[in-house]
Amino acid sequence: MVTAPAALAVTAEVCYAAVLRGDPAESPERNPFVWIFFARSAALTALAVGVTWYVVQRRRRRSAFLTLVNELEMSPGIGSLQALLSRSLGDNSLTVAYWLSRAGRYVDALGHAVNPEVDQDRAMTTIVRSGTQVAVVSHERAILDDQTLRQRIGPAALLAIDNERLGVELTAHLQELRLSRMRIVTAADEARRQIERDLHDGAQQRLLSVLYELRLASSESQEDAHLSGALDALIEGTQKSLVELRELAQGIFPAILDEAGLGAALGTLADQAGCAIEIRSLPHVRLSAPVERTAYLVVSETVGAAHARSGGLTVNMDLCDETLTVCVDGADKAPSEYLADRVGAAGGVLSVNSGAIRAEIPCG
Amino acid sequence: MRITVADDSMLTREGIVHLLSVAGHEVVGQADDADRLLSLVQALRPDAVVIDIRMPPTYTDEGLVAAQRIHAAFPEIGVLVLSQYVEPSYAIRLIEDHPEGVGYLLKERVFDVAILIDALRRVADRETVVDPTIVARLFGRRRVADPLDTLSERGAEVLGLVAEGRSNQAIAARLHITERTVESHVTKTFLQLGLTDDPGSHRRVLAVLAYLRHQGTAPR
């Protein structure tokens, strides 16, 4: 902005001197002098404009930077640092990625994993504090070089970046915990489901074939009253074992829940419950397995803890804004810690209010 | 009767086939999955089909889906679905579209050859068969102000047999009463419970099951 007009001014002056040597009279009627006059005027005007622009720009940046420092001193909220930096440095594409040394990866201010990629037009500035890398700022190479950025960012911004990184590290850590909690619950559910399947396909089938053989033997021994009586007793015993095994399998995991959804599973729960259960509302669509299993557990755990009384329980399940709200009214015991943990693992909240157990489970 | 049997468990399948042969029935075709069953049924047109509810590939409700397809394509073929689950919702799902000629029995019951043959005869004769364990479970459900408590003992007994899919004639024989008495019990019970379905139609089984399943628990 300044060099071009300056070069033009110098060239004009040199030409003027050269022409003056050949014609010291400096006659205004002569063409070269007219042209040189115009060139000198234009060059000086451009130079003046360039110098003014440069000064104004510097002031603007300095004041933007002072604002940045002020705002940083007011300790901005998590996630606002990137916006502040990109505004004060005039680079909308600027991003800040924080290095989580324990997890060995970069994350953004919200804790989501990011991969700051090096490319030709962008420069990466590594922010180091006390000898440890804390963040990488990715910005347009044309606007600033690494050195300028480091100078500009200054100690206040470095402190803010470090603070924000700590916040981000905490958020990421919480997120990891949440996910691992969910994974543990899902794995436990899958294991229970597998046990139910194994019982169904293994032990139950085997008992069925024993029952079959016993029935065959019984039909062939009708003449021998003693043997026939003994076989009938065995048949009865085997049938009882089958019933018990079936109930055990169903208690371990209700296959009907995954296969036919909450309505069918709660119906079966109500068929067998020790107290009356009235189901007033249900979601009209199938939800994800973890959500359905958690919602089912809220009811089944409450039913398990309830006494057989005339009042019974009423169940309402309503889906609104990607959240399933499960309300069980008439509970006479506070929900177990396990239930609160289960709902928590699904990212939900469990609350109790005078016999009403309420769980809010996010479905998104 | 000519019967086709589908079960992925060889033990159960061969057990049923043996029982049927000994009882003098002809087993035409055995299948271990739903696709094979459907092509067998298409080619052989048996009088009745025995289907396991859980079959490959997903081992969930293939048998139920196959039963519905057979029923839709060949309504004259009786379909008996076997399950290890006491699940009223499966039974209701099976009979809700076409209650005639379909049945849902627990697996352990069919090894009693008399029960197996009776059920197959009934489905082949366009009747409905619902396992008594399922009906008993629905009857046993606890309800707030249970309307079933207002029924007479005989009325409840008759209602239970209706839910199992028994005809008035069969109920009369079972309880040693006349068909006319059964009819009057059924009509009275339907009135008492507020059931609007024709107590003489095939749909009465579904009406009773759905009532027992949802009374006091229906989403409003």
Side-chain angles (χ1 to χ4, degrees):
Chain A
M1 202 65 196
V2 180
T3 40
L8 186 59
V10 169
T11 315
E13 288 305 321
V14 170
C15 292
Y16 176 56
V19 175
L20 210 55
R21 271 177 79 96
D23 186 3
E26 199 184 324
S27 164
E29 286 85 35
R30 293 195 53 197
N31 264 348
F33 286 108
V34 175
W35 289 118
I36 288 167
F37 173 73
F38 281 126
R40 285 172 72 194
S41 312
L44 288 174
T45 312
L47 189 62
V49 169
V51 168
T52 315
W53 186 85
Y54 178 74
V55 170
V56 167
Q57 199 62 15
R58 247 181 94 98
R59 285 243 172 119
R60 218 166 61 91
R61 282 211 183 152
R62 187 173 297 162
S63 86
F65 185 66
L66 282 175
T67 320
L68 166 70
V69 172
N70 282 340
E71 289 188 41
L72 288 177
E73 278 169 358
M74 289 191 292
S75 58
I78 289 217
S80 50
L81 185 68
Q82 180 172 306
L84 281 177
L85 278 177
S86 69
R87 201 166 64 227
S88 64
L89 299 175
D91 176 2
N92 284 334
S93 66
L94 178 144
T95 56
V96 182
Y98 299 92
W99 174 247
L100 302 184
S101 55
R102 195 157 54 170
R105 61 191 163 89
Y106 288 100
V107 291
D108 65 11
L110 299 174
H112 301 306
V114 288
N115 195 14
E117 274 171 40
V118 184
D119 90 44
Q120 271 188 333
D121 304 329
R122 302 189 66 75
M124 305 282 230
T125 302
T126 306
I127 310 290
V128 176
R129 268 190 75 81
S130 322
T132 323
Q133 178 189 0
V134 292
V136 165
V137 180
S138 154
H139 52 89
E140 275 180 35
R141 195 183 290 278
I143 289 188
L144 299 157
D145 58 43
D146 292 7
Q147 205 52 43
T148 329
L149 181 77
R150 260 197 214 100
Q151 283 167 2
R152 285 253 172 94
I153 286 180
L158 283 178
L159 188 63
I161 286 182
D162 200 19
N163 271 344
E164 181 146 304
R165 184 192 62 89
L166 287 173
V168 166
E169 194 163 29
L170 200 62
T171 313
H173 195 53
L174 276 176
Q175 177 75 0
E176 260 167 40
L177 276 179
R178 216 175 352 247
L179 289 177
S180 87
R181 208 174 162 195
M182 193 68 233
R183 279 196 298 271
I184 289 170
V185 166
T186 308
D189 279 347
E190 284 309 318
R192 289 171 83 107
R193 184 162 191 204
Q194 193 52 51
I195 294 172
E196 189 276 332
R197 278 197 180 141
D198 290 347
L199 284 176
H200 179 279
D201 301 340
Q204 276 176 283
Q205 290 286 347
R206 230 157 261 160
L207 266 183
L208 274 174
S209 69
V210 170
L211 190 64
Y212 169 71
E213 298 291 340
L214 285 173
R215 284 211 182 274
L216 273 191
S218 165
S219 67
E220 283 159 13
S221 64
Q222 290 303 318
E223 290 86 44
D224 186 339
H226 181 68
L227 181 60
S228 169
L231 284 171
D232 286 348
L234 271 176
I235 288 173
E236 206 188 318
T238 312
Q239 262 170 340
K240 275 188 187 152
S241 307
L242 259 173
V243 170
E244 280 172 20
L245 197 58
R246 181 163 57 220
E247 280 170 8
L248 175 72
Q250 205 222 337
I252 290 171
F253 191 88
I256 188 81
L257 177 62
D258 276 15
E259 288 172 19
L262 279 167
L266 291 177
T268 298
L269 186 68
D271 288 342
Q272 296 169 281
C275 65
I277 304 175
E278 187 183 350
I279 298 151
R280 289 201 177 148
S281 58
L282 285 170
H284 296 292
V285 288
R286 289 295 306 266
L287 303 167
S288 71
V291 172
E292 288 193 338
R293 289 169 185 176
T294 309
Y296 178 85
L297 261 176
V298 173
V299 183
S300 68
E301 286 278 307
T302 312
V303 169
H307 298 300
R309 351 172 256 145
S310 56
L313 300 171
T314 52
V315 177
N316 280 284
M317 289 196 185
D318 298 298
L319 185 63
C320 185
D321 292 337
E322 300 276 292
T323 299
L324 180 68
T325 306
V326 181
C327 278
V328 187
D329 284 298
D332 39 19
K333 273 189 197 153
S336 63
E337 224 168 30
Y338 165 68
L339 190 60
D341 283 351
R342 266 304 293 243
V343 175
V349 187
L350 187 74
S351 58
V352 198
N353 186 9
S354 59
I357 291 175
R358 182 186 169 92
E360 281 169 40
I361 309 161
C363 308
Chain B
M1 280 187 287
R2 296 170 69 247
I3 298 151
T4 301
V5 181
D7 194 323
D8 64 302
S9 148
M10 202 180 71
L11 261 166
T12 319
R13 199 172 65 232
E14 292 192 339
I16 293 169
V17 169
H18 178 77
L19 288 178
L20 289 173
S21 314
V22 170
H25 295 284
E26 188 190 351
V27 175
V28 288
Q30 297 180 40
D32 55 8
D33 66 43
D35 288 342
R36 173 114 181 93
L37 170 70
L38 290 171
S39 58
L40 281 178
V41 167
Q42 173 97 34
L44 303 168
R45 303 291 170 92
D47 299 314
V49 182
V50 181
I51 312 174
D52 180 16
I53 194 167
R54 265 192 179 185
M55 277 192 294
T58 68
Y59 296 93
T60 54
D61 61 355
E62 279 81 4
L64 213 53
V65 174
Q68 283 165 329
R69 286 177 64 184
I70 292 171
H71 204 268
F74 313 102
E76 71 284 358
I77 298 177
V79 181
L80 187 64
V81 174
L82 305 183
S83 172
Q84 280 170 232
Y85 294 107
V86 186
E87 279 303 347
S89 53
Y90 282 152
I92 291 173
R93 191 175 135 196
L94 177 67
I95 66 173
E96 68 188 350
D97 290 335
H98 310 279
E100 301 97 339
V102 290
Y104 185 96
L105 272 192
L106 290 181
K107 254 188 184 177
E108 66 237 38
R109 208 176 288 277
V110 297
F111 291 141
D112 186 329
V113 70
I115 291 176
L116 174 62
I117 302 293
D118 172 66
L120 282 170
R121 254 190 227 296
R122 283 164 61 200
V123 293
D125 287 346
R126 327 290 318 124
E127 285 185 30
T128 311
V129 175
V130 177
D131 196 287
T133 314
I134 286 187
V135 176
R137 178 163 289 180
L138 288 174
F139 262 83
R141 173 184 252 188
R142 285 170 194 274
R143 296 169 174 86
V144 179
D146 195 344
L148 298 181
D149 291 344
T150 64
L151 303 180
S152 68
E153 201 178 315
R154 194 27 75 87
E157 204 172 5
V158 170
L159 189 69
L161 291 167
V162 168
E164 288 176 23
R166 301 275 170 189
S167 63
N168 284 356
Q169 194 189 356
I171 296 172
R174 167 83 71 97
L175 302 178
H176 308 293
I177 51 178
T178 64
E179 250 185 276
R180 188 173 285 266
T181 317
V182 173
E183 251 177 61
S184 88
H185 274 301
V186 174
T187 313
K188 198 176 152 203
T189 313
F190 268 51
L191 261 175
Q192 251 179 300
L193 299 180
L195 293 172
T196 51
D197 292 71
D198 175 6
S201 78
H202 278 297
R203 295 204 68 83
R204 70 181 191 172
V205 183
L206 184 64
V208 176
L209 289 181
Y211 176 84
L212 293 173
R213 179 69 159 178
H214 295 301
Q215 204 288 317
T217 72
R220 284 168 203 156

